[in-house]
Amino acid sequence: MRSFPSAPRRRAAAVTLAAALTCGLGTTLSSTSPASAEGLRDRQQEIQDRIAATRNGIDEASDRAQRANAALDAATGRLADARDELARLEGEVAAAADRNAELRVELAASEERLAAAQTALIAGRIAVAQTRTEATDTITSIYQGAGDPGLRTLSSFLSAGSLEDIEVEQQAEQLIVGRQTTVYDEVQTAEARLEATEAEVAEATDLVAAQQAEAARTVRRMRLLRDRAVTARDQVLELVRTSRSAKQAALAARAEDQKALVELERQEAGVREKILAAQRAAERAGTGYTGETAGLFTMPSGGSITSPYGYRTHPIYGYYGLHDGTDFAPGCGAPLSAMADGTVISSYSSEVYGNRLYVSLGNVNGVNLTAVYNHASSYTVGVGERVSQGQTLGYVGDTGWSTGCHLHFTLLENGTAVDPMTYL
């Protein structure tokens, strides 16, 4: 915001403005334009070039459109979540199916190993039984002295009388014990092999049981996941239908908003013609204000600026356009003030901007200035009335396409919106 001029300078400016109001078109300010005819044509072309960008350039949308777009956004979000959940479930089903196939292969191998181990166990038991029988027979033969070659040799020595009796008895005892030990070792080896086979069978049996249990759990999980995937797929289809309906509702709401904007343009076109006619008349009369504008005008409202003039992406419709004014938020019911002396040239209710008021400020430095107040709850002045700088014109409201009580203040130069803060 620019600083205001000193009191003497402010009074001089006010005198100049008052003098300007006594001549020209009605009670509006006017001045001799320093621009040539060619300059005006260039200015007109510039304005025309900006019309496409500024058209429909407001931040808000109708409540109907906001609700429809919110419903569409919500449906789109839910649909995206549902599709993600379906993809996750289908991935888990596929993983469970792959694991089930792996388990089948592993289980078949384990069952084959178990069968081999069981066969080996039976063979081992038979072998142990045979070894024990053979051991019993061998030991019996040893003690009977008939079956062992060493004992037969010893018996021949005894018969020949070539050794002392005691030595022969000792050797006989050693041969019997050694042979016994060999037989017992054979039995123990066979029994150890049998124990190992039994342990392998037990291990293979436990592994098969565990794999069977895991396979059963995997099958149950796969069936559960498939059921959940079917439910998720049904939800996706339902949300697709909901999203389609929400999109149709949003498109219908946008079409209604477009109709309202067309009507707004028609109304604005009528006011613009008045403004341009006043500007032309003031130029012909050669009257108006020329000079420094810093501090010449006052703020149209109190409160902080919540949205400045400028280009941005529309939050509802997504197009890049001009926010053609400055938004002030002084609170519901706060007074709206005339930024300078002027005349009310139009006042009407718009579906888009709510209650609107146009105040012509006349010609300043060769351009016609018009202050536009929007979204008011009501106005205290009507068309044709003279207003004085600082006079209360109405009260801040929430009418039209608005997201809360605020003043959307627009300043027009020859009917085209400019940044109000360059004057304030």
Side-chain angles (χ1 to χ4, degrees):
M1 175 178 176
R2 296 182 180 178
S3 61
F4 287 87
S6 62
R9 185 179 176 188
R10 178 73 177 275
R11 283 194 297 271
V15 170
T16 304
L17 282 174
L21 287 172
T22 61
C23 59
L25 177 63
T27 59
T28 62
L29 294 172
S30 61
S31 69
T32 302
S33 173
S36 64
E38 183 178 355
L40 288 174
R41 282 195 296 272
D42 292 341
R43 176 65 174 162
Q44 182 180 19
Q45 182 60 49
E46 178 186 348
I47 292 172
Q48 290 174 349
D49 290 341
R50 294 176 60 187
I51 286 176
T54 59
R55 185 173 296 160
N56 305 347
I58 58 174
D59 272 347
E60 297 83 9
S62 68
D63 290 341
R64 172 185 60 249
Q66 292 184 58
R67 288 193 302 271
N69 279 275
L72 176 58
D73 289 343
T76 301
R78 289 195 302 270
L79 178 57
D81 291 342
R83 282 174 169 161
D84 289 343
E85 176 66 8
L86 176 58
R88 185 186 68 80
L89 288 171
E90 288 177 339
E92 290 190 18
V93 168
D98 290 343
R99 181 55 182 156
N100 185 52
E102 291 174 358
L103 285 171
R104 288 180 180 277
V105 174
E106 293 173 3
L107 182 58
S110 297
E111 288 175 339
E112 184 177 347
R113 175 188 167 193
L114 175 59
Q118 288 173 335
T119 301
L121 178 60
I122 294 171
R125 285 172 177 169
I126 294 172
V128 167
Q130 289 175 345
T131 302
R132 285 175 177 169
T133 300
E134 292 173 357
T136 301
D137 294 343
T138 300
I139 293 171
T140 301
S141 300
I142 289 172
Y143 281 100
Q144 289 176 348
D148 188 89
L151 290 178
R152 288 198 299 272
T153 302
L154 182 59
S155 177
S156 63
F157 280 125
L158 289 173
S159 301
S162 61
L163 296 173
E164 295 293 335
D165 290 342
I166 189 166
E167 291 181 0
V168 171
E169 288 178 2
Q170 288 176 348
Q171 291 181 16
E173 182 66 24
Q174 290 173 357
L175 287 171
I176 290 171
V177 170
R179 185 56 181 151
Q180 257 186 285
T181 300
T182 301
V183 172
Y184 286 146
D185 286 345
E186 290 175 356
V187 173
Q188 288 177 347
T189 299
E191 288 180 343
R193 283 197 298 267
L194 178 61
E195 288 178 1
T197 303
E198 288 175 341
E200 184 178 358
V201 168
E203 180 184 352
T205 301
D206 292 343
L207 180 59
V208 167
Q211 289 176 337
Q212 286 175 337
E214 184 181 357
R217 289 194 301 271
T218 301
V219 169
R220 288 194 298 271
R221 174 174 171 74
M222 188 166 56
R223 289 173 179 169
L224 175 62
L225 289 171
R226 281 175 176 166
D227 291 342
R228 290 173 61 186
V230 169
T231 301
R233 193 174 296 113
D234 291 341
Q235 290 176 343
V236 167
L237 293 175
E238 180 61 28
L239 285 171
V240 166
R241 288 190 287 269
T242 301
S243 180
R244 186 180 297 117
S245 297
K247 184 174 183 179
Q248 291 172 348
L251 290 174
R254 179 168 185 169
E256 290 297 317
D257 281 5
Q258 289 297 326
K259 287 173 59 178
L261 289 170
V262 170
E263 174 60 19
L264 172 66
E265 289 181 358
R266 185 192 65 77
Q267 293 171 318
E268 289 181 332
V271 176
R272 189 178 295 111
E273 284 301 319
K274 293 181 181 179
I275 292 171
L276 294 177
Q279 192 262 347
R280 290 191 294 269
E283 287 181 353
R284 288 195 299 269
T287 58
Y289 173 81
T290 301
E292 178 63 43
T293 61
L296 188 63
F297 303 103
T298 59
M299 285 288 186
S301 173
S304 60
I305 294 176
T306 57
S307 183
Y309 172 97
Y311 287 87
R312 79 280 318 274
T313 300
H314 193 286
I316 300 299
Y317 296 131
Y319 60 76
Y320 186 73
L322 180 68
H323 179 248
D324 67 353
T326 300
D327 289 351
F328 297 86
C332 297
L336 302 173
S337 303
M339 66 180 290
D341 296 350
T343 300
V344 178
I345 60 171
S346 182
S347 181
Y348 61 86
S349 179
S350 161
E351 181 179 342
V352 179
Y353 281 113
N355 295 322
R356 309 192 80 186
L357 185 77
Y358 289 77
V359 178
S360 175
L361 307 180
N363 277 23
V364 177
N365 290 332
V367 295
N368 183 276
L369 294 182
T370 305
V372 188
Y373 299 76
N374 301 284
H375 303 301
S377 61
S378 62
Y379 293 108
T380 59
V381 294
V383 175
E385 287 190 45
R386 280 284 317 280
V387 298
S388 301
Q389 187 177 55
Q391 178 181 339
T392 296
L393 305 179
Y395 302 95
V396 173
D398 187 25
T399 58
W401 295 358
S402 172
T403 56
C405 287
H406 73 290
L407 165 64
H408 177 89
F409 181 72
T410 302
L411 188 65
L412 306 178
E413 287 184 352
N414 296 336
T416 299
V418 297
D419 186 357
M421 302 311 293
T422 60
Y423 287 88
L424 296 172

